Structures are given as C-alpha cells and as structure tokens.
Amino acid sequence: MKAGGRAESLERQFTRDVLRCFVVHCPEELKIPDQLDWDRLIHVVLHYNLGPIFAYVLNSDSVPAGLRNSWNEWRMRCLVSNIRSLKTACKLFSTLEKAGISAVGLRGLTLSHFSYPDPGLRPMRDIDILIAPSDRHRIVDLMKSQGFIPAQILRTQFVYHIDGTIFEVHWSLLNIKRYRSAVDSEAFVKSRRKMPTPEGSVYCLSKEKELLGLVAHAFVHHELDRILQLVDIALYMVRPDIDWKYITSWCRRTRMTNIFLFTLTFVNFFFNLHLERRLEVFGQSLPQGTSKTFEAYMVKLFDRDTIFHYLRRKRNLFFVAEQPIVKLKQALRLIAPDEVSDLLQLIAKGDVSRIGRCENGKKVVELEAPGT
C-alpha cells in the first residue's frame, strides 16, 4: 500500500498487516514475507510495545524460535502486571466510592480488561482515572488519610504511587489549554458504568465516550505518534454497537469534528479497515492532499522524520482547529521553547530517527519506548 505516492518498506507494511489481523480477527494465518528484515521489525515492535500483540497473531514456526519465546514472555509479564494493577485499582475505586467520590477508569485499564482478547495484550505504564473537577480537593484529603500523598502535582492531575502501580488522577480529560474547555469532564464521569472483574469492581466510560476520549487524547496530546493508541481506536471503530450519530453530534457541539474525522480516517487507512461508509456519518470529507498528510504521520511513526513531513503535520494542526481562538493559540504554541528546540534539532540533523535503524546488522540508534 502507498500513502502520498511513496512505496512502503516491507517491514512497515507487514507491521500494519499484523495489527490489522489483530483488530479484525483474521481467521487465516498471516504469511510472513521471505525478505522480511527481522532486525528492523524487532525495532518497531520494541519501540511501540507491540510484542504481546505480535505473539498473539504470529504464533507460528515461521517466527524465529527465540523471538517467539521473547514475545510470549513479554505477554506473560504484561498479564501479571495488569492483573496486579487491577487488584490495586479495585481497592482504590472501593475507597473512593465509600467516600462519595465518583471516578472512572480511562484507556489502558478499560481496554486491557474489556476490549482486548486478554489482559496480557495491552501494556500500560500507569492507570489513568478521571474524577469530577469539583472533587479534586477532596481526593487529596482522602488519599492523605489513607497514607498516600501525591508523588507529583501536574497541571490537571495528581500522580500517586500505590502498591507498585502509578495512578494518574485527572480532573480534566484533556490538559492541553487549546482544547481543555471543549470537554465536559464531569459529564464523562457521570456516564460511567460499574464493571465486575475477578478482583472486584471498576468503573468505565460508556463505549461512545471511551472512543471520544481515545481519539481526543491520541491527537491532542500525542499527535498520533503512538501505534498502540491507534490500535485502541481501531478496536472501537470496528464495534457494531457504537452510536455514530452521538459521536458526530458531540463533535459538532465541541467544535472538534475535524480532529475526529482526520484521526478516524487515518486509523481506517492505517489498518485498511474499509470503514469509509461508516465515516460518511460526519457528512463531510477531508481536503485534497490528505494522503500526503497521512504519509507525514506514517514517516514519523516508521521512518526518519524530515522538515517537509514535520511542516505538513504542523499545518494539519491548523486545519483541525475549527475556531479562530484555537488557531491563534496553536500559532503561539509553535513558538514555545520545546517546539522550537524540536525544530532546530530536526534542522541540525537533517533527519531524526524515530524508531532506530540498522546498518550491517548493528544498531545505530535506540530510543526508549514511549509510555502508553
């Protein structure tokens, strides 16, 4: 497959094929190309925390035995970690409920136990919990009474370390100033559902609000630079029980239609889901040249970033911003110190390796996998 007229590497296409099979539950075994560069593929899998998914999809003798064992061990470690974190999360929810503080789990906690085939397939660095903004002061006193003080106090969240698990307690679904006020976090908390687990009960968002939260977080906070977050979104996109009219109505009301249409169309393209008819519910199309913008995001994920692709992605931030004030804030954001530093680094190096590369079988660049 191509994006923006550029031919894909074998490893890039194969990664997408594996993930597509995972999302749509391919009944047939995926054929591994003979010329696949395993070193390059391994770098992608390591960087984006995809080992458990690859173990699930590629459980065949075509995978080198050592690599297959490594991926399976990774999956088991993830399973143990997620079950341990679930136990702690259930205790925390119980404590909050007794104190009259409503809370709801976000992203990894919900996905690993209720959306993925088993909890060992969705690595997560921490557990995100959303509370109503009005409860943010009460929760500090409550946690202090339980012997916990925040390890960090950030813009719209408290970070706690509880029994070996990091909990990020948010009182705003989005902390980016440009979009923070667009989302009614209290309404998200009120939509929660009580979900039983073998370790106790947790609280999750409604399926529509979970999808809204996944898309908003992946684009606004991370600009679609984490493949596992794209997998999360795709798993909800293929669900037959999503109320898409509610999704589009919410997008129009919050002036976030362009963000959602672009992100969902990109995810549809990335995994080749053939959901174009489903996305027609938005009642509008993306502008011409979007395939080149898709390629700019793909290059950042798989290849070495360039000034050309960097500028395309930044230009897209202005397209998705539907209000003049948001466009203005976006322009001011581009001259923030960290943004300027990234740009200067890109100019100085000529390109920036995102996932690392191999030359003559030796690793040239190795970057730490991002948190998920």
Side-chain angles (χ1 to χ4, degrees):
M1 187 178 295
K2 296 181 179 181
R6 171 181 173 147
E8 289 195 299
S9 71
L10 193 60
E11 295 73 35
R12 176 165 135 177
Q13 182 60 63
F14 184 66
T15 298
R16 295 171 64 194
D17 289 342
V18 170
L19 297 176
R20 179 184 183 278
C21 282
F22 177 74
V23 169
V24 303
H25 308 293
C26 289
E28 70 280 358
E29 184 176 328
L30 187 64
K31 186 180 184 304
I32 299 176
D34 294 333
Q35 303 302 317
L36 189 69
D37 184 337
W38 285 102
D39 283 342
R40 183 170 177 78
L41 181 70
I42 290 168
H43 288 170
V44 176
V45 173
L46 282 173
H47 185 75
Y48 291 110
N49 274 328
L50 302 175
I53 292 178
F54 271 66
Y56 182 82
V57 175
L58 300 178
N59 190 21
S60 73
D61 293 336
S62 300
V63 180
L67 182 57
R68 187 169 65 250
N69 291 338
S70 175
W71 286 345
N72 281 319
E73 289 172 6
W74 190 348
R75 179 179 174 183
M76 290 306 299
R77 289 195 303 270
C78 181
L79 176 62
V80 171
S81 175
N82 284 353
I83 290 176
R84 183 174 62 245
S85 296
L86 176 64
K87 290 181 180 180
T88 307
C90 290
K91 292 178 184 178
L92 179 58
F93 276 115
S94 177
T95 299
L96 296 177
E97 284 297 299
K98 290 176 182 177
I101 296 177
S102 297
V104 60
L106 301 173
R107 297 184 289 274
L109 178 65
T110 299
L111 292 159
S112 61
H113 294 282
F114 303 111
S115 297
Y116 280 64
D118 75 57
L121 297 173
R122 179 45 166 86
M124 54 181 175
R125 182 180 62 85
D126 50 45
I127 290 181
D128 294 286
I129 288 178
L130 181 67
I131 62 172
S134 56
D135 285 331
R136 67 181 183 274
H137 301 299
R138 292 180 59 211
I139 198 169
V140 174
D141 294 334
L142 173 64
M143 295 301 287
K144 186 176 181 180
S145 72
Q146 300 295 312
F148 300 103
I149 60 173
Q152 288 180 283
I153 300 177
L154 303 176
R155 183 183 294 164
T156 59
Q157 69 194 68
F158 301 117
V159 180
Y160 288 95
H161 295 177
I162 306 174
D163 297 340
T165 298
I166 301 173
F167 285 85
E168 295 189 353
V169 181
H170 304 258
W171 60 86
S172 178
L173 189 73
L174 298 175
N175 66 35
I176 303 298
K177 291 181 180 179
R178 300 185 299 281
Y179 292 101
R180 190 188 308 168
S181 62
V183 179
D184 184 347
S185 297
E186 192 150 356
F188 271 64
V189 174
K190 288 180 179 179
S191 79
R192 67 186 192 142
R193 302 169 295 151
K194 186 176 183 179
M195 301 292 287
T197 78
E199 308 299 334
S201 295
V202 297
Y203 291 83
C204 304
L205 293 171
S206 68
K207 56 186 181 297
E208 285 78 21
K209 281 191 167 61
E210 185 68 53
L211 176 57
L212 292 172
L214 289 172
V215 173
H217 181 79
F219 189 93
V220 173
H221 283 261
H222 300 290
E223 295 186 35
L224 309 181
D225 69 352
R226 303 184 180 191
I227 291 179
L228 202 54
Q229 293 180 351
L230 304 183
V231 175
D232 297 342
I233 294 169
L235 288 172
Y236 271 79
M237 286 182 68
V238 299
R239 289 182 58 152
D241 58 347
I242 295 292
D243 184 346
W244 286 96
K245 290 185 177 179
Y246 174 84
I247 298 291
T248 56
S249 174
W250 185 91
C251 289
R252 286 193 294 270
R253 187 168 64 252
T254 59
R255 306 291 293 273
M256 296 180 73
T257 297
N258 288 350
I259 284 180
F260 276 75
L261 180 59
F262 179 84
T263 301
L264 294 171
T265 305
F266 177 69
V267 171
N268 181 55
F269 160 77
F270 188 101
F271 298 103
N272 196 25
L273 298 177
H274 302 295
L275 295 179
E276 292 81 7
R277 292 291 298 275
R278 187 166 294 179
L279 295 178
E280 288 177 0
V281 70
F282 281 92
Q284 64 187 67
S285 301
L286 293 172
Q288 290 186 348
T290 296
S291 62
K292 294 181 179 179
T293 306
F294 284 174
E295 177 62 15
Y297 284 87
M298 295 287 281
V299 162
K300 186 180 180 184
L301 288 169
F302 289 103
D303 303 308
R304 291 190 299 276
D305 205 359
T306 69
I307 290 292
F308 173 77
H309 294 104
Y310 171 89
L311 293 176
R312 273 199 175 275
R313 294 193 304 273
K314 296 308 175 183
R315 185 174 69 176
N316 189 50
L317 295 178
F318 288 94
F319 161 69
V320 300
E322 298 181 32
Q323 302 179 72
I325 186 63
V326 177
K327 291 182 186 292
L328 174 60
K329 290 179 178 179
Q330 182 60 63
L332 295 174
R333 173 64 189 147
L334 292 180
I335 59 175
D338 57 332
E339 287 280 355
V340 173
S341 176
D342 288 345
L343 178 58
L344 291 177
Q345 181 186 46
L346 192 59
I347 293 172
K349 292 186 176 181
D351 58 55
V352 174
S353 178
R354 177 65 180 151
I355 60 171
R357 55 194 171 91
C358 277
E359 289 182 1
N360 300 322
K362 294 183 179 180
K363 192 179 295 182
V364 177
V365 178
E366 182 178 11
L367 301 178
E368 182 181 356
T372 55

